[in-house]
Amino acid sequence: MQQEVFFSLKKIPLLAKLPDDALNALAAKAKPNKYIKQAVIITEGDKTNSLYIILSGKVRVFSSDDRSKEVTLITQEAGSYFGELALLGDEPRSASVEAVEKTTCAIISKSDFKQWLISYPEVAIGLLSDLSDRIRYLTDKVKQMALSNVYERTVKVLLEMAVQEDDILIIHEKPTQQELANMVGSSREMVNKVMKELTKGGYVVSKDRTLRIESKPPSSW
């Protein structure tokens, strides 16, 4: 398992240029844990004390209110990490994290990471840079939710999820309408209405587990 953690660490741009002995030292501190689909790995408001590195699977980072209304902030796959704010302070977790599919994470405690960081202080600069990028992404997402309507946000999310294949954009793992609503920050009913209009207009075609974007939808409806 330590070797699996080592190779996952090498995939993270923040750590990729470090010497192998440094990554092996960090991998040795990691404790692997497996999560079933829909398992909550971190709960918003919990005490912060660990960094999580995704070895396999996929997670979604989300926030919710007292009425259990959720908005998905970001999804992450193998070779990325979450919980990094725990390394910088003692504030409670700012968001929850759920396994989208069967997922394995390597967990590194705050104390172990800080001890390791003393030997490799250059990582701290890269960590701050990564945090800056994520803050920009989340700021843009908040701006979209405040200034864009449901149709515009739905189209943007679909385009971000799609990959180019020949002349067509394809989403290979089609999200459910509830998952899409969580990413858009709207009700399932509103997203369902938008998807019906996009399908009716011939912009998207749903087949099995995929969603094909046949042509770019108009910027506004």
Side-chain angles (χ1 to χ4, degrees), residues 31-62 70 74-78 80-84 86 93-108:
K31 296 177 176 60
N33 205 356
K34 296 182 178 180
Y35 302 92
I36 62 173
K37 182 178 179 179
Q38 295 185 327
V40 176
I41 303 171
I42 285 177
T43 300
E44 186 174 355
D46 278 357
K47 181 180 178 181
T48 58
N49 55 18
S50 299
L51 172 72
Y52 292 73
I53 297 164
I54 306 173
L55 303 181
S56 63
K58 181 189 295 186
V59 304
R60 72 179 183 104
V61 182
F62 68 97
E70 296 179 0
I74 192 173
T75 57
Q76 296 180 247
E77 299 183 349
S80 61
Y81 60 90
F82 59 89
E84 68 278 5
R93 297 288 187 186
S94 59
S96 299
V97 180
E98 178 188 63
V100 175
E101 58 193 40
K102 189 164 69 173
T103 298
T104 301
C105 292
I107 306 171
I108 302 174

Side-chain angles (χ1 to χ4, degrees), residues 71-73 136-145 183:
V71 58
T72 298
L73 303 174
R136 287 195 190 94
Y137 173 84
L138 293 175
T139 299
D140 183 58
K141 191 173 185 72
V142 170
K143 188 186 298 183
Q144 288 174 33
M145 293 183 67
M183 287 185 273

